[in-house]
Amino acid sequence: MAGRFLTIAMVFLVVACASTPRYEPPIDQEVAQLKERLFVLVEEERHRLNAEAKPLALDPELSAAAQAHSEEMASKRSFDTMNPNGNPAINALLHDPKFRGFVGENSAAQYFTPAAGFDPDAYARAFLAIWLNSPDHKNNLSYANFDRAGIGIAVNGNTIYAAEVFATDLGLPEPE
């Protein structure tokens, strides 16, 4: 009788554990909100840093390059400074025969607790603060001629990787 009771108890425990859903926050929604908020904050900050800064347009090609860069950083859990082939986003743009002008890139990573999700506004402000505290990243933010940008966000485990790619054609003619 004790053996049968133990068997029933074990079956109940296994079923209870298997049917208890684990909370998964809507990370895709938070990532989309983070991209939007980061773009707005960067645009506002650019004009505080340099009154002559051109408005940024969100560019699909730059967004794809920034996303590819973020995903590569996330998959390797490292930044392009550790990549012997350099920054894949910048490399892709510079190898495109139609690309002309000047390009810059900012990247950073932040940790979070996956079960709790994250506040997109707070993380956007933190990414911006990281970039403002780096002279090279701050120069990209304040460079007046940048007029296009793209943002990429990727998540791996408990780390959010962000990249923003800036570009300008510097008034150069369209390549033939």
Side-chain angles (χ1 to χ4, degrees):
M1 184 77 156
R4 185 172 172 189
F5 175 74
L6 184 56
T7 301
I8 292 172
M10 291 299 285
V11 167
F12 178 74
L13 183 61
V14 169
V15 169
C17 289
S19 65
T20 303
R22 202 176 112 201
Y23 173 71
E24 292 291 335
I27 197 82
D28 291 341
Q29 180 181 0
E30 291 169 330
V31 165
Q33 291 170 353
L34 174 57
K35 283 182 183 181
E36 291 172 15
R37 189 66 182 132
L38 187 54
F39 183 79
V40 168
L41 289 175
V42 164
E43 179 66 3
E44 291 171 357
E45 190 62 34
R46 280 174 46 77
H47 298 285
R48 277 195 275 281
L49 293 169
N50 186 342
E52 296 178 14
K54 293 180 180 179
L56 291 175
L58 193 56
D59 182 278
E61 181 182 15
L62 297 178
S63 293
Q67 187 62 41
H69 181 45
S70 295
E71 289 172 6
E72 181 167 301
M73 288 188 299
S75 72
K76 293 181 177 180
R77 294 184 181 262
S78 69
F79 291 98
D80 54 84
T81 57
M82 298 173 204
N83 185 343
N85 299 321
N87 181 316
I90 303 255
N91 289 345
L93 292 171
L94 295 178
H95 287 95
D96 180 353
K98 294 182 181 180
F99 181 79
R100 66 201 187 288
F102 182 66
V103 64
E105 180 265 350
N106 288 356
S107 59
Q110 295 185 66
Y111 297 108
F112 77 110
T113 304
F118 62 89
D119 175 4
D121 183 64
Y123 276 81
R125 290 180 187 283
F127 277 120
L128 180 60
I130 290 168
W131 294 338
L132 289 171
N133 286 318
S134 161
D136 290 339
H137 291 121
K138 189 174 183 178
N139 286 340
N140 284 339
L141 291 171
S142 64
Y143 184 66
N145 288 326
F146 284 140
D147 57 4
R148 296 175 290 139
I151 295 180
I153 304 288
V155 178
N156 187 347
N158 67 342
T159 309
I160 303 168
Y161 296 85
E164 184 162 18
V165 178
F166 304 92
T168 177
D169 63 13
L170 295 172
L172 297 171
E174 189 83 25
E176 294 182 25

